[in-house]
Amino acid sequence: MFSGKPIKPTFKCYLPPAQTDRKNSIQPPIRLEPEFLPGEIVVNDVNFVRKCISAESSQGDLWGRLICTNFKVSFIPQGPPPKQKSLLSHLLLGQHDISLTCLEQVVTVNDTRGKRKVLGSNQKLKFNPTELILYCKDLRVIRFCFDEAGPESAKKVCLAIAHYSHPADLHLLFGFEYQGLRYHKGDLVNGSTPRGGIQTPVFDRPSDWDREIKRTGASGWRVCSINEKYAISDSLPEYIVVPVSLTDQDVKQHSPSFSDGRVPLWCWNHRNGSALVRMAGPADPLTQRKTEQKIFTAITKSHPQRREVTLSDLDKSLPNIQDIQSAFVKARQICTLDPFEESEERWLSSIENSRWLEYVRTFLKLSAEIVYNLDGKNVSVILLEEEDRDLNCVVSSLVQLMLDPHYRSLNGFQSLVQKEWVMAGHRFLDRCNHLKKNDSKESPLFTLFLDCVWQMTNQYPAAFEFTEFYLTVLSDSMWIPLFSTFLFNSSKQCAQLLQDFSKNKAIPQGEDHTVIFPPVWKWSQQFSTRDQTLFNNPMYVGKGAASVQNGEVKSFQRSKKAFSSTVRISSTSQRNGLKGEEEPLQRRGSLVSELKADFSPVKDESPSERFFRDWFSHPADQQGVLIPLVLPSHVVLWKLFFLRWVPEVCIPQGGPATVYHKVSQLVDEIEMLQGKLRQYKGASPRSTPVPSPGGPSSDQRRMYFKASSPDDPPTTPNILNSSFPFNPVGNLCPRGVQGTPISKFLNGAKTWLSTETLANDTF
Amino acid sequence: MEHIRTPKVEQVRLVDRFSNKSTNGTLYLTATHLIFVEGSSNNSASAGQEIWILHHHIASVEKQSLTTTGCPLVIQCRNFRVVHFVVQRERDCHDVYSSLLRLLRPVYYEELYAFSYNPKQNDQQREEGWQLIDLGAEFERMGVPNDQWQHTDVNRDYKVCETYPRDLYVPITASKPIIVGSSKFRSKGRFPVLTYFYQEKKAAVCRCSQPLSGFSARCLEDESMLQAISKANHNSRFVYVMDTRPKLNALANRAAGKGYENEDNYSNIRFQFVGIENIHVMRASLQKLLEVIGARSLTMSDYLVGLESSGWLRHIKAIVDAAVFLTKAVTVEGASVLVHCSDGWDRTAQVCALGSLLMDPYYRTIKGLMVLIEKDWISFGHKFADRCDQLDGDPKEVSPIFTQFLECVWQLTEQFPHAFEYSEWFLLQIHEHVHSCQYGNFLGNNQRQREQLQLGERTHSLWDFLMSEKQNYLNPFYKPSYSEAHPVLEPSTLPYHFKFWRNMYHQFDRSMHPRQSILKTILTLKENSRKAESELQALETRLQKLGVTPIATSDPPAPPPTRDQRTNPLPPRPDSLILGAPINHKEVERREEEDEQDEVGVEATERTDTERTVEGSSGTESRKQSYGELEGTCNGELAKEEPAVVSLELGVARMTC
């Protein structure tokens, strides 16, 4: 905890010491103390700050103290805590806290002088700010007013926030301080190793890969440790899976032909033997053809039927990372910033204009095509992308999610992200732009992936073990710099930085010189056990997970019989667009009469179309292949993610949460009843395969909402609304008081633009 | 039937609208239905699929030019089914075409299916069916008559207003001369009458048509009428007058001697335009919507831009907005509201009905919705015959006004999934029968006409039929206790919350529906819960018989069934689009045999032998058959608590069997 002693230079502080001198600050009548994490220090603070709650009026605004630490921006409201507490209690961040990493843009405004400035690192501010607007990466927009605060202190806090949210170096992210200190003191939660308590394999050791090979029955593949100590590639994991026909020497020899030495990487195997492989583009065009040929041959050899491989060039068929970034920026703008009254009429076309949904659809569609190749055509597929670190991550994980029910369990999903994103070297550091250094590298690929997953869960509500809440907090976790998962560009960078850090921190001799940096998968870091039950989808039935543990996935064995052609494709096509001799009989201006039906088969059905049509004409087996419908009407906006902070959108006492509530209660009741039944039935052979723990006591129960006992009033809790379990109050206040010139400017301002373009934009 | 030239055509190909799937079969033409039976020739498992199309459902038939494979015949239905046949011989095609041409243009009401439909009920049952909904009792439920509102028999012979019902409710201070005077000043004589009474605030929702005010005309009786409505409510000093039209339309009407109330002439009114478009705009909008969604290989952009430019969701939003305004005026301000449009039977019906549904939880129950439709739509003279095109009439009168109302309700059920006793299948089924002309309820344009047609004696009531199937329409998320705590719904009307209603407009396009649904899953869960419970009870009784006390556990006692479960025993499987689970007998038997084995994945890919898609047909017979198919779902296998594979595959549109 922060004590009175002067700030030790444990964290590099670029601000002149005068600004960190807290003696100047006005002593508040009540001390409003924030909660600090180990290693967290206050940089600056100011009192009598007003946090805006509503965009329209200042009614309900909160007064309190605004604090900038080396980890977060914290606001401590005065007075008694609100009656309706925030539902979720985040263990690292309070209701009014924003981690510095989460800040997208820091904007200061002087309302009276009509000035406004986007603040970056080490900048000066020529005016005293009357307002501070924080645009956050999790789509919140939070506004503070300094009408009653000391102008100098306010200015200092703003500068401190701006400065600390632009760390000069990755080392300066709070995570290092925090985790280093925790290690130092040895007060780790549970005193565990980084793996402690996490069931998710991290794929940093051969055994994780081995298990995956066995699980998928990939007999033609083996773990190769040629990249230990990152000998052949900086961005590949230390252990990779290659065709058995390639020796370590072969791999080493082929490696220089590929960008960054990235030899093709095995992702997953279908039961039918076809494999999913990802590959980078050529580094050396001269040797490329030959090398590729050898690799393809090796992959073909690993296929039980020696099938030729199919190459899918993702760069050619998908939007690039800049397109995706600009689509996301637009979608975000539409959902959180554009005034509703004006966008109402154009809502659909504005969302269309962002192209976000179109991209979501494109990715799903392409992934489904690859599913067809693997499952329907039984051929191995190589995903080709220039660097193999962006689009390939999205597509390979989506394909596996569609094909393998294991990845639809919580642990399976986490291992998928670990395998295809973290270990495969997705540049989280650059794409998240944690250091705010290079905006052109920023791109929300992981968010796009989560949106695609959400679309799948939307179409198959019972097939995934996790909820959309889980997906949302997973995306939020990208902006908390305490987890190794989203901080680095590659596992090598992670290892390297941690080593450097522990050297600098002079960790006592005799101890391991690596700082432990747990992944996000250790959810107890962020949420209580009870809050974690919100991850559980009550409709999911965890059979996939059960059978996987036995090393046996029968799931994606679809009986070939099911594909028996029920329908012949008509080879004859009718001429399109020709009017019949007889005018269509119209039944007197009826509604549909003027529809020009377009029924003639436009083109011959492609084999993949036929595969999908066949697949969709059968009942879906959620333990088998799941293919999403990708017609435009099936791709919809992920409301919880995009709109959860918008108070106007929130439906009190309504929304999907009410369904979640009801289903949870029901499932909880079923689990209790079954527990009882098992007790009565004893050890009958029938009941043994049931994996759930016998007689779940109330704190072990998996549902957030428990079945109501007859004594409880059977009412819906008042907390339910369409933003559940998030609280939109005060988290989205982009607009100033209506009518003032500055508010109009703010409404029209493209505030989400990059800092560079607006950095010196004062007037 | 003399119109049917060829009752049976063989080797007809049915082509799917969105995929290139096609099936061969035989086309039958009966007096009431067009039936397609899939042939068993193509030895596929799905042989036996049947599609029954009621003639009344057919909106248009189009015969396209001959191709090498045959002569295409495209049929578009009012329930948004579109079928595309290819008939091998042009002659056959022409016969079917010209027969249909005649069959789907009934001239007299007596030609409608309702007059020949016989669900094997005796006269007494039929009569009881018609007595199910009693509007007098409904007004009593609202607390009318009371000290401010009274029943009037001024219209008992339909003399004051032809299109109103006989029984009307007006303020006690509205004397007969005032009523008659007011009715003369209102378009079609539709003077202000009570339609809903909000007891808590003693505020009334009244409805009427536009005044014949022109540019300057006044009517003292009409002014007194509004004064009387105002006086009947002590909570508020004024009455809101909601003109649901866009201002421009109202202004244009003034030139024709109609128009809207002048605030200067009426004391204590607050006038408000709402801006719902007229029937012609709505008709065009739906047409555009159907064009957009009917197109193949749409891009995301085509779809979103097309959806927006059709304006359909905007119109839906406008209606909900108006209903929210009405609700707020009544429940928050405690003011009475008079709603009108032009004639007061389209937009007025939409707004009054939807407003009442927001205010009163009763209308969110199955019986309540029937009552609401009976009151605000049927009895107050929504012109179902014209709007739904029951007879050969004026094409400009056709408009999807009632469909919009059902969609508004659906949008609300999406926002408040637990506030409604009915699921969307209830709404779809009502929509189906508004157009089927199979029951008498919606025939004709007003009560007077219905009496003349003696519908009560010659046809059957839909409400009776729906009530008998109530369990199929129950919403598993419904929480009656919620309504007690929050009687008034406060929906959000931001555009984000208005969604395209796929299950309505793509009802019959099997390939458009996701394979899994929350609704189906929760029904399976409920079933499991019930099974577990009864098994538990059985075991406990057995233990007691054996003299053993049940094992005491540290757990809290297992909860008895939740309240709503106790009152609503689990329904048999409904056989609707999504709920209809494709369970086949073989599977059930096999499950019983291979108790231990877990073969769900493989079984799921199998199909039932018979598959029926029947529309608007009479038979409860086929319904029973589907039930039989479905009963097997509850095999008492508790270890397999997972829901049977969820799919709507085979259940498509069984609703109307």
Side-chain angles (χ1 to χ4, degrees):
Chain A
M1 297 301 115
F2 182 73
S3 59
K5 63 184 174 182
I7 299 154
K8 292 265 275 180
T10 45
F11 186 90
K12 281 187 198 172
C13 175
Y14 294 95
L15 293 170
Q19 294 199 339
T20 54
D21 189 357
R22 288 170 60 252
K23 279 172 207 158
N24 292 349
S25 64
I26 312 151
Q27 206 65 24
I30 315 154
R31 271 195 76 78
L32 308 166
E33 276 306 333
E35 285 178 33
F36 293 123
L37 296 174
E40 190 175 0
I41 46 170
V42 170
V43 174
N44 222 314
D45 72 338
V46 57
N47 268 301
F48 309 113
V49 174
R50 181 160 59 90
K51 181 183 176 182
C52 302
I53 295 302
S54 147
E56 270 74 35
S57 76
S58 55
Q59 248 187 347
D61 283 359
L62 297 173
W63 290 88
R65 177 176 167 212
L66 183 65
I67 301 165
C68 173
T69 77
N70 54 351
F71 168 52
K72 67 185 180 230
V73 177
S74 189
F75 177 77
I76 322 288
Q78 274 173 334
K83 273 173 232 154
Q84 201 187 334
K85 271 189 71 185
S86 174
L87 244 183
L88 277 175
S89 49
H90 197 279
L91 300 178
L92 299 170
L93 291 162
Q95 194 189 344
H96 301 285
D97 293 353
I98 312 138
S99 94
L100 291 169
T101 322
C102 187
L103 291 177
E104 169 94 21
Q105 223 172 42
V106 179
V107 180
T108 47
V109 175
N110 184 308
D111 224 342
T112 46
R113 291 170 63 191
K115 294 208 172 196
R116 168 178 187 281
K117 183 169 180 178
V118 180
L119 287 180
S121 171
N122 257 341
Q123 279 186 325
K124 292 207 172 84
L125 191 56
K126 286 180 193 150
F127 58 85
N128 286 326
T130 56
E131 268 184 32
L132 170 69
I133 308 174
L134 300 176
Y135 294 88
C136 305
K137 295 200 179 184
D138 59 5
L139 275 65
R140 285 183 290 172
V141 179
I142 296 174
R143 199 156 60 98
F144 298 103
C145 292
F146 302 121
D147 16 17
E148 301 292 327
E152 276 304 311
S153 316
K155 191 173 180 175
K156 281 175 191 167
V157 165
C158 292
L159 287 170
I161 291 170
H163 182 75
Y164 277 80
S165 59
H166 290 73
D169 191 272
L170 188 54
H171 273 305
L172 298 175
L173 284 176
F174 178 66
F176 287 89
E177 192 72 25
Y178 174 65
Q179 304 293 6
L181 210 63
R182 287 207 322 163
Y183 182 83
H184 204 67
K185 285 184 181 168
D187 64 343
L188 287 172
V189 179
N190 307 332
S192 54
T193 62
R195 288 230 169 183
I198 312 169
Q199 291 169 345
T200 305
V202 193
F203 292 98
D204 60 348
R205 56 186 68 179
S207 57
D208 287 346
W209 290 102
D210 242 346
R211 208 173 306 121
E212 195 65 5
I213 289 176
K214 288 210 181 73
R215 191 183 68 78
T216 57
S219 52
W221 299 82
R222 69 180 182 90
V223 183
C224 162
S225 50
I226 193 80
N227 199 34
E228 262 176 2
K229 310 272 179 235
Y230 304 98
I232 63 163
S233 168
D234 287 341
S235 61
L236 285 181
E238 288 191 88
Y239 305 98
I240 56 174
V241 176
V242 297
V244 281
S245 55
L246 289 181
T247 64
D248 281 8
Q249 202 47 45
D250 292 335
V251 174
K252 195 172 180 178
Q253 191 195 330
H254 295 326
S255 141
S257 306
F258 296 95
S259 166
D260 193 30
R262 290 180 71 100
V263 288
L265 200 59
W266 174 88
C267 304
W268 182 80
N269 239 62
H270 193 289
R271 278 277 144 178
N272 65 20
S274 43
L276 180 68
V277 179
R278 49 193 287 178
M279 184 173 102
D284 179 4
L286 288 175
T287 56
Q288 183 62 20
R289 253 195 96 99
K290 241 173 103 184
T291 316
E292 264 181 14
Q293 214 43 59
K294 280 183 185 155
I295 300 261
F296 291 176
T297 314
I299 296 173
T300 303
K301 273 187 194 161
S302 292
H303 194 290
Q305 282 100 50
R306 306 282 178 270
R307 294 281 177 87
E308 287 281 311
V309 296
T310 302
L311 196 68
S312 179
D313 189 342
L314 301 194
D315 288 321
K316 282 185 186 149
S317 36
L318 292 172
N320 64 35
I321 61 162
Q322 282 87 18
D323 294 339
I324 294 167
Q325 168 71 3
S326 86
F328 181 72
V329 168
K330 277 186 201 151
R332 178 171 68 180
Q333 170 90 16
I334 294 159
C335 292
T336 58
L337 287 183
D338 283 347
F340 300 104
E341 311 81 57
E342 286 169 36
S343 62
E344 246 176 41
E345 299 273 301
R346 303 176 276 109
W347 160 245
L348 288 168
S349 56
S350 0
I351 207 72
E352 183 272 324
N353 188 41
S354 78
R355 312 192 73 179
W356 177 256
L357 291 180
E358 184 189 323
Y359 292 161
V360 168
R361 180 181 178 223
T362 312
F363 273 88
L364 286 171
K365 219 174 159 176
L366 184 86
S367 305
E369 282 287 329
I370 287 159
V371 167
Y372 157 69
N373 278 298
L374 290 162
D375 185 64
K377 263 174 81 181
N378 189 9
V379 293
S380 295
V381 177
I382 298 175
L383 305 175
L384 172 66
E385 187 201 355
E386 187 52 42
E387 290 194 308
D388 181 30
R389 296 171 74 176
D390 291 305
L391 305 177
N392 272 1
C393 300
V394 184
V395 174
S396 72
S397 30
L398 281 177
V399 169
Q400 294 172 63
L401 209 59
M402 291 176 192
L403 283 166
D404 191 340
H406 168 62
Y407 297 122
R408 296 176 216 137
S409 70
L410 187 68
N411 267 319
F413 182 75
Q414 299 186 154
S415 76
L416 182 69
V417 173
Q418 196 63 35
K419 178 161 71 88
E420 298 302 329
W421 292 80
V422 182
M423 280 300 151
H426 177 66
R427 291 189 178 84
F428 276 108
L429 180 64
D430 292 348
R431 299 292 172 254
C432 295
N433 204 9
H434 285 315
L435 303 181
K436 302 190 178 63
K437 276 191 175 151
N438 191 345
D439 290 343
S440 67
K441 286 186 181 171
E442 184 171 351
S443 185
L445 282 155
F446 191 66
T447 308
L448 179 82
F449 165 65
L450 294 180
D451 198 333
C452 292
V453 176
W454 179 83
Q455 304 285 347
M456 294 280 295
T457 64
N458 192 35
Q459 291 188 24
Y460 298 99
F464 294 82
E465 188 179 5
F466 44 87
T467 56
E468 64 172 328
F469 166 72
Y470 167 80
L471 294 172
T472 313
V473 295
L474 183 56
S475 92
D476 289 348
S477 304
M478 281 196 278
W479 316 117
I480 300 173
L482 306 185
F483 320 118
S484 58
T485 315
F486 302 121
L487 278 188
F488 305 102
N489 280 338
S490 64
S491 57
K492 181 186 177 183
Q493 190 189 24
C494 175
Q496 191 84 53
L497 277 162
L498 289 175
Q499 215 175 5
D500 292 354
F501 183 80
S502 54
K503 268 182 202 157
N504 293 342
K505 294 294 289 182
I507 285 176
Q509 291 293 316
E511 288 191 41
D512 192 354
H513 271 249
T514 40
V515 170
I516 292 151
F517 219 144
V520 67
W521 316 129
K522 197 167 165 183
W523 289 104
S524 58
Q525 297 172 103
Q526 296 192 60
F527 297 103
S528 67
T529 316
R530 163 147 172 84
D531 282 350
Q532 283 180 57
T533 55
L534 281 167
F535 293 175
N536 298 334
N537 174 8
M539 284 176 277
Y540 175 79
V541 186
K543 280 226 165 149
S547 58
V548 166
Q549 278 160 8
N550 307 334
E552 190 192 3
V553 182
K554 50 176 72 174
S555 45
F556 41 88
Q557 294 175 328
R558 286 176 57 94
S559 66
K560 271 289 157 201
K561 276 180 289 177
F563 289 108
S564 69
S565 56
T566 48
V567 181
R568 298 257 134 253
I569 308 162
S570 62
S571 51
T572 53
S573 67
Q574 294 146 0
R575 269 165 300 166
N576 191 11
L578 276 185
K579 264 248 163 234
E581 290 151 48
E582 278 169 88
E583 280 299 299
L585 159 66
Q586 295 182 359
R587 194 175 162 199
R588 302 141 302 152
S590 55
L591 291 170
V592 278
S593 58
E594 284 178 32
L595 284 181
K596 293 291 168 281
D598 168 24
F599 283 113
S600 12
V602 181
K603 52 185 171 12
D604 280 338
E605 195 176 32
S606 74
S608 66
E609 279 167 350
R610 187 171 159 199
F611 170 79
F612 295 136
R613 181 162 54 67
D614 241 12
W615 190 86
F616 281 110
S617 65
H618 294 85
D621 169 15
Q622 69 174 46
Q623 291 301 310
V625 180
L626 289 188
I627 298 172
L629 285 162
V630 289
L631 287 163
S633 62
H634 296 114
V635 181
V636 291
L637 189 80
W638 183 11
K639 281 193 195 161
L640 188 70
F641 178 81
F642 282 101
L643 299 170
R644 65 189 145 138
W645 307 121
V646 189
E648 293 90 334
V649 175
C650 183
I651 308 166
Q653 308 290 325
T658 55
V659 170
Y660 176 77
H661 175 244
K662 180 92 184 188
V663 183
S664 300
Q665 284 190 326
L666 191 60
V667 168
D668 188 54
E669 192 183 310
I670 292 174
E671 285 195 334
M672 283 181 56
L673 287 168
Q674 281 176 345
K676 281 219 127 184
L677 273 177
R678 269 192 299 278
Q679 282 181 335
Y680 284 140
K681 283 183 173 170
S684 104
R686 262 177 133 197
S687 56
T688 40
V690 181
S692 70
S697 65
S698 58
D699 53 333
Q700 278 177 328
R701 281 146 73 182
R702 291 187 287 176
M703 291 300 121
Y704 187 78
F705 294 109
K706 310 282 188 273
S708 54
S709 81
D711 310 322
D712 295 342
T715 48
T716 314
N718 281 333
I719 48 174
L720 291 182
N721 61 42
S722 60
S723 293
F724 176 87
F726 301 98
N727 185 1
V729 175
N731 281 322
L732 194 76
C733 274
R735 284 169 291 169
V737 183
Q738 272 180 339
T740 65
I742 191 71
S743 73
K744 276 183 188 151
F745 168 74
L746 287 175
N747 283 342
K750 297 283 179 252
T751 27
W752 289 104
L753 291 178
S754 73
T755 19
E756 279 161 35
T757 54
L758 279 170
N760 297 311
D761 180 17
T762 57
F763 60 89
Chain B
M1 285 281 286
E2 69 274 28
H3 309 305
I4 300 170
R5 296 196 210 168
T6 314
K8 180 181 174 187
V9 183
E10 279 175 341
Q11 289 189 310
V12 172
R13 209 150 49 83
L14 172 69
V15 185
D16 187 89
R17 191 177 168 199
F18 292 103
S19 66
N20 286 332
K21 184 183 175 177
S22 71
T23 37
N24 287 315
T26 310
L27 202 60
Y28 297 90
L29 195 58
T30 75
T32 52
H33 288 85
L34 180 69
I35 305 160
F36 176 79
V37 181
E38 197 179 314
S40 48
S41 53
N42 52 355
N43 48 9
S44 77
S46 64
Q49 183 199 10
E50 288 175 20
I51 297 178
W52 290 49
I53 299 171
L54 190 63
H55 296 330
H56 296 310
H57 271 146
I58 298 176
S60 78
V61 186
E62 184 187 346
K63 181 170 164 268
Q64 295 177 339
S65 59
L66 188 67
T67 69
T68 44
T69 43
C71 192
L73 191 69
V74 178
I75 295 172
Q76 309 198 346
C77 302
R78 290 171 212 295
N79 53 7
F80 309 112
R81 181 200 279 275
V82 180
V83 280
H84 180 208
F85 296 118
V86 180
V87 184
Q88 226 171 27
R89 289 167 51 207
E90 197 192 1
R91 212 195 124 73
D92 290 339
C93 186
H94 186 80
D95 282 351
V96 174
Y97 171 76
S98 42
S99 306
L100 282 175
L101 199 70
R102 174 64 195 90
L103 285 168
L104 54 84
R105 286 190 179 205
V107 180
Y108 305 106
Y109 281 107
E110 283 74 7
E111 289 178 62
L112 296 179
Y113 186 32
F115 289 90
S116 56
Y117 171 62
N118 181 5
K120 293 177 188 144
Q121 280 187 335
N122 62 34
D123 285 353
Q124 195 201 336
Q125 286 168 318
R126 181 209 304 253
E127 202 174 312
E128 280 168 8
W130 281 107
Q131 283 160 359
L132 187 68
I133 305 294
D134 176 359
L135 289 185
E138 168 58 11
F139 279 95
E140 260 171 55
R141 187 191 67 87
M142 295 178 209
V144 176
N146 55 32
D147 58 344
Q148 297 293 334
W149 293 88
Q150 63 180 3
H151 174 260
T152 173
D153 60 356
V154 69
N155 201 38
R156 63 173 178 273
D157 302 317
Y158 301 108
K159 287 222 171 95
V160 179
C161 176
E162 281 195 351
T163 56
Y164 267 172
R166 290 177 192 273
D167 296 309
L168 293 166
Y169 297 84
V170 292
I172 44 166
T173 51
S175 62
K176 196 170 174 187
I178 289 181
I179 292 173
V180 174
S182 168
S183 81
K184 288 190 174 137
F185 190 63
R186 292 277 167 179
S187 177
K188 308 280 195 305
R190 294 170 68 91
F191 59 95
V193 292
L194 181 79
T195 181
Y196 180 71
F197 188 72
Y198 187 67
Q199 263 176 300
E200 201 175 301
K201 299 257 166 100
K202 307 281 178 216
V205 179
C206 298
R207 54 183 290 171
C208 62
S209 60
Q210 63 183 340
L212 304 175
S213 51
F215 291 99
S216 58
R218 293 183 61 164
C219 169
L220 288 178
E221 289 92 340
D222 194 59
E223 287 161 25
S224 316
M225 187 73 190
L226 265 70
Q227 187 74 28
I229 294 172
S230 181
K231 275 187 191 157
N233 180 357
H234 301 303
N235 276 323
S236 175
R237 286 185 295 107
F238 57 85
V239 179
Y240 278 106
V241 176
M242 265 176 90
D243 191 327
T244 53
R245 300 168 292 183
K247 187 170 185 184
L248 222 68
N249 301 23
L251 283 170
N253 263 300
R254 291 211 299 195
K258 299 166 188 172
Y260 55 95
E261 291 81 355
N262 183 341
E263 269 183 296
D264 298 338
N265 298 341
Y266 294 83
S267 50
N268 307 325
I269 68 161
R270 288 205 184 166
F271 190 82
Q272 176 78 39
F273 285 113
V274 184
I276 303 173
E277 298 288 350
N278 66 25
I279 58 167
H280 311 295
V281 174
M282 299 307 191
R283 177 177 57 236
S285 171
L286 178 60
Q287 197 165 301
K288 262 192 186 163
L289 176 82
L290 295 177
E291 264 169 47
V292 170
I293 62 161
R296 297 193 346 168
S297 46
L298 272 181
T299 66
M300 200 72 216
S301 178
D302 292 341
Y303 170 74
L304 289 173
V305 172
L307 192 58
E308 178 171 288
S309 66
S310 79
W312 183 253
L313 292 177
R314 203 176 64 233
H315 297 315
I316 298 293
K317 173 179 150 51
I319 298 163
V320 180
D321 270 329
V324 168
F325 178 90
L326 170 68
T327 306
K328 282 199 175 137
V330 171
T331 61
V332 180
E333 296 184 39
S336 293
V337 184
L338 176 65
V339 184
H340 73 72
C341 47
S342 294
D343 288 323
W345 50 43
D346 294 313
R347 289 169 273 207
T348 302
Q350 288 176 330
V351 174
C352 289
L354 201 64
S356 314
L357 185 120
L358 289 176
M359 288 182 247
D360 194 333
Y362 175 62
Y363 299 129
R364 289 171 238 144
T365 64
I366 286 183
K367 177 88 180 284
L369 186 68
M370 294 176 181
V371 168
L372 185 66
I373 292 171
E374 187 74 31
K375 173 169 71 78
D376 269 312
W377 293 87
I378 296 173
S379 90
F380 276 118
H382 174 69
K383 302 201 290 175
F384 278 105
D386 290 356
R387 299 288 178 262
C388 303
D389 204 15
Q390 288 168 358
L391 297 182
D392 208 357
D394 180 358
K396 289 214 172 92
E397 284 286 314
V398 180
S399 190
I401 301 303
F402 188 71
T403 307
Q404 284 185 319
F405 167 69
L406 292 178
E407 174 160 347
C408 290
V409 177
W410 177 78
Q411 300 280 1
L412 293 176
T413 63
E414 286 290 291
Q415 288 198 29
F416 302 97
H418 53 322
F420 291 81
E421 189 190 12
Y422 39 85
S423 67
E424 73 178 309
W425 305 110
F426 188 52
L427 305 174
L428 290 172
Q429 184 74 302
I430 292 173
H431 182 262
E432 184 83 4
H433 285 296
V434 163
H435 293 96
S436 73
C437 301
Q438 185 172 350
Y439 296 91
N441 308 57
F442 300 102
L443 301 192
N445 282 327
N446 51 57
Q447 291 296 54
R448 185 165 162 265
Q449 210 177 4
R450 287 183 196 108
E451 280 175 24
Q452 283 168 353
L453 288 168
Q454 296 172 298
L455 294 177
E457 293 85 60
R458 300 165 71 191
T459 69
H460 296 262
S461 168
L462 172 67
W463 304 137
D464 184 39
F465 165 68
L466 292 182
M467 204 48 109
S468 71
E469 297 220 306
K470 183 177 173 180
Q471 72 279 11
N472 290 355
Y473 309 120
L474 291 176
N475 166 20
F477 306 113
Y478 180 50
K479 281 198 204 111
S481 56
Y482 168 82
S483 297
E484 281 165 34
H486 308 274
V488 179
L489 290 187
E490 294 171 62
S492 164
T493 59
L494 282 174
Y496 319 100
H497 294 301
F498 291 90
K499 303 191 261 186
F500 168 65
W501 190 5
R502 185 191 296 127
N503 286 342
M504 171 64 97
Y505 304 104
H506 279 312
Q507 233 178 114
F508 298 95
D509 301 314
R510 187 180 298 191
S511 57
M512 301 298 286
H513 296 276
R515 304 281 93 181
Q516 209 172 50
S517 85
I518 296 179
L519 202 58
K520 168 68 192 303
T521 311
I522 195 176
L523 283 175
T524 319
L525 287 175
K526 275 202 154 182
E527 213 159 82
N528 284 337
S529 169
R530 193 182 53 99
K531 285 269 147 193
E533 225 167 75
S534 57
E535 198 168 341
L536 194 64
Q537 271 165 9
L539 284 170
E540 272 173 357
T541 352
R542 247 172 69 192
L543 282 173
Q544 267 167 6
K545 270 186 194 162
L546 294 169
V548 187
T549 24
I551 312 154
T553 62
S554 54
D555 295 345
T562 51
R563 239 159 261 195
D564 47 352
Q565 272 176 318
R566 246 179 269 154
T567 46
N568 307 328
L570 191 96
R573 267 321 156 75
D575 49 353
S576 60
L577 189 56
I578 279 177
L579 307 185
I583 298 299
N584 73 44
H585 294 297
K586 268 186 263 164
E587 178 187 340
V588 176
E589 284 160 23
R590 181 141 33 85
R591 274 205 193 182
E592 277 157 9
E593 287 162 21
E594 307 171 17
D595 233 8
E596 250 63 63
Q597 291 191 19
D598 194 354
E599 292 270 350
V600 181
V602 181
E603 284 166 1
T605 59
E606 293 185 3
R607 317 189 63 186
T608 46
D609 294 327
T610 51
E611 176 176 342
R612 234 163 212 274
T613 334
V614 181
E615 179 182 339
S617 77
S618 63
T620 43
E621 305 81 35
S622 52
R623 229 173 221 294
K624 273 182 197 139
Q625 184 187 337
S626 352
Y627 281 153
E629 247 170 57
L630 297 163
E631 252 157 44
T633 29
C634 340
N635 60 81
E637 178 60 84
L638 273 166
K640 290 181 182 151
E641 77 267 43
E642 91 178 52
V645 176
V646 176
S647 159
L648 45 81
E649 168 59 17
L650 306 171
V652 176
R654 275 216 192 86
M655 315 180 301
T656 48
C657 293

